[in-house]
Amino acid sequence: GILACFNPVGHAAAFMPSGGPHLQARALPRMGGINPGGGCCPRAAAFRLLAMSASKDAKKDKKDKKTANHVMRTKDWTAPDYSAVLDVRTPAEYEEDHIPGAINAPVLSDQERIEVGTLYNSNPFEARKLGAALVAENTAKILREHVSDKPREWKPLVYCWRGGQRSGSLSAVLAQIGFRTSVLDGGYMTYRADVREECKDIPQR
């Protein structure tokens, strides 16, 4: 709950309980026009003001957290407001083809992907554990090499082969940091389908 009292000069001092949004005493403005002996109680007015303030702070915190932690999925890989496009596939996949201008930031190396895929055929659970550990190690490297110098306004687009676990793992970390992060829904396959569709309009020689 909230405790409120009035000091000798008529200002209300509010004390939030331990663990509340405000740990120190807060002075409220003088409540002019309120008659302590009349129908409006200054203590009740203080409670109302504190409740309104706490509610506004809670709503703002909730909105900020939702924005920061939210990963947006999109089919548009051409949007001009992306600060960078991160291809989290293996170097071999990237070398074969990638979205123009994309940076290769692999969450699994070529050899690691083979190891996880081979283990998955016999023991999916153990493969997921191994994959998670490897992705975590590589994500830390990506953050140091590609993200550590980026401002809060940096807006990356992340993609893998189909827009699944690999892109999801890195994008979740980026969003938790506070970046406005997007994942290409369908991954590289979406890009390839768009290019093929565009090629239909090119006259054949």
Side-chain angles (χ1 to χ4, degrees):
I2 302 173
L3 301 178
C5 63
F6 289 86
N7 59 30
V9 295
H11 288 74
F15 299 89
M16 304 299 295
S18 177
H22 307 287
L23 300 180
Q24 298 180 346
R26 235 179 12 164
L28 292 176
R30 177 185 290 275
M31 299 179 186
I34 299 177
N35 180 9
C40 182
C41 173
R43 187 179 297 272
F47 285 151
R48 287 198 297 272
L49 287 174
L50 285 170
M52 291 171 61
S53 176
S55 177
K56 289 180 180 178
D57 290 343
K59 289 180 179 179
K60 183 179 184 300
D61 290 343
K62 185 176 181 180
K63 181 180 179 180
D64 290 344
K65 289 178 180 178
K66 183 177 180 181
T67 300
N69 298 339
H70 182 61
V71 176
M72 293 163 284
R73 300 194 70 87
T74 179
K75 288 280 190 180
D76 185 9
W77 51 272
T78 64
D81 60 337
Y82 296 135
S83 303
V85 178
L86 301 181
D87 184 331
V88 300
R89 299 176 302 156
T90 66
E93 291 174 293
Y94 176 84
E95 285 298 324
E96 182 176 351
D97 190 27
H98 57 267
I99 294 176
I103 300 169
N104 191 209
V107 294
L108 290 175
S109 69
D110 295 314
Q111 184 59 37
E112 288 168 345
R113 183 170 181 246
I114 293 173
E115 291 176 5
V116 173
T118 301
L119 180 58
Y120 189 87
N121 291 330
S122 59
N123 194 327
F125 180 69
E126 291 299 324
R128 291 190 187 97
K129 289 196 296 182
L130 174 61
L134 294 172
V135 167
E137 293 173 2
N138 291 323
T139 295
K141 181 180 178 181
I142 292 169
L143 295 178
R144 289 192 298 267
E145 295 181 356
H146 299 291
V147 181
S148 60
D149 62 339
K150 299 300 186 290
R152 186 181 184 88
E153 297 75 23
W154 190 62
K155 298 179 181 180
L157 172 68
V158 184
Y159 76 93
C160 58
W161 183 254
R162 290 190 176 88
Q165 293 183 348
R166 286 186 288 176
S167 58
S169 61
L170 179 61
S171 63
V173 173
L174 295 176
Q176 287 290 332
I177 292 173
F179 295 115
R180 295 289 297 275
T181 307
S182 299
V183 167
L184 182 59
D185 197 16
Y188 169 78
M189 301 294 286
T190 293
Y191 161 73
R192 188 170 71 172
D194 288 349
V195 171
R196 284 183 171 179
E197 186 66 26
E198 189 69 20
C199 287
K200 291 180 181 180
D201 297 330
I202 299 177
Q204 299 296 321
R205 292 183 179 180

